[in-house]
Amino acid sequence: MDGLAGRQLDAIREVVELTGAAGIAVWLRGGWAMDFHLGAVSRPHVDVDWYCWRREAGPLAARLGGQGWRPDPRMPVELQLELVRGDVELSFAYLDRDPAGRVVVGSGPWAGTPLPEGMLDAPPGRIGPHTAPVISVAAQIEFKEMYPVWMPERPRRAKDAADLARLRGSRPPTG
């Protein structure tokens, strides 16, 4: 694989290796999570979306900074960790836990909002020789379905509708 997708896949491998060695938990989200679940690149991606624990964002940024990744000045680090190297963008949304131990949004206007139960319990995804932790398919579907409800200014995009069809088609029947 070459071009931007190849560089993004290399960045995913790099993040997985670096975080694994450092004991920092991360999970792919968005389009790359779907592709790792499906086992193949399904479409072009603008960036590589991840989740990380808010408390680990500083150490994560420092380790990736040592590999040439630089903060994107367009996004305040208090809201989300955005890093760029060349034409590859990494975006780490923060997770936290509430007093009851549930996984919640870790920053921004939705901070403290519970995230789907079991979201972080999915088996790793794979594309060829590459494996990566991914959020659950159920969470991927919920996010794709709910974005236009949560953010009315962001109507459902054609790629989101296509992603929903791919994800729904990949799930084993229930019942």
Side-chain angles (χ1 to χ4, degrees):
M1 183 175 313
D2 56 0
L4 180 59
R7 290 187 296 281
Q8 289 172 329
L9 196 54
D10 287 342
I12 291 167
R13 178 195 44 75
E14 181 180 356
V15 169
V16 168
E17 289 175 0
L18 184 143
T19 58
I24 297 172
V26 295
W27 296 264
L28 278 172
R29 61 187 176 92
W32 277 107
M34 176 189 68
D35 284 358
F36 268 76
H37 167 71
L38 296 173
V41 179
S42 64
R43 61 172 172 80
H45 301 283
V46 173
D47 59 5
V48 181
D49 297 312
W50 299 87
Y51 276 118
C52 72
W53 295 109
R54 182 181 179 98
R55 69 182 176 277
E56 295 180 336
L60 176 60
R63 288 182 182 277
L64 287 169
Q67 300 300 312
W69 294 92
R70 297 291 167 244
D72 184 338
R74 298 172 293 177
M75 175 61 72
V77 71
E78 297 79 29
L79 295 179
Q80 189 163 290
L81 178 61
E82 299 271 344
L83 302 170
V84 295
R85 186 175 69 192
D87 62 349
V88 178
E89 301 176 23
L90 304 177
S91 174
F92 294 87
Y94 300 142
L95 299 172
D96 208 343
R97 289 198 185 270
D98 69 8
R102 294 178 300 187
V103 177
V104 298
V105 175
S107 65
W110 298 93
T113 302
L115 290 164
E117 189 172 328
M119 180 179 87
L120 306 180
D121 299 333
R126 175 179 294 279
I127 294 178
H130 307 284
T131 59
V134 296
I135 63 170
S136 70
V137 172
Q140 292 179 52
I141 290 172
E142 182 174 337
F143 294 148
K144 293 279 185 184
E145 287 176 337
M146 295 304 297
Y147 279 140
V149 175
W150 296 329
M151 297 178 279
E153 71 280 2
R154 182 180 164 184
R156 180 161 289 117
R157 302 168 294 185
K159 73 175 186 172
D160 295 327
D163 288 354
L164 277 166
R166 284 185 194 100
L167 288 165
R168 286 186 182 120
S170 75
R171 298 175 77 188
T174 58

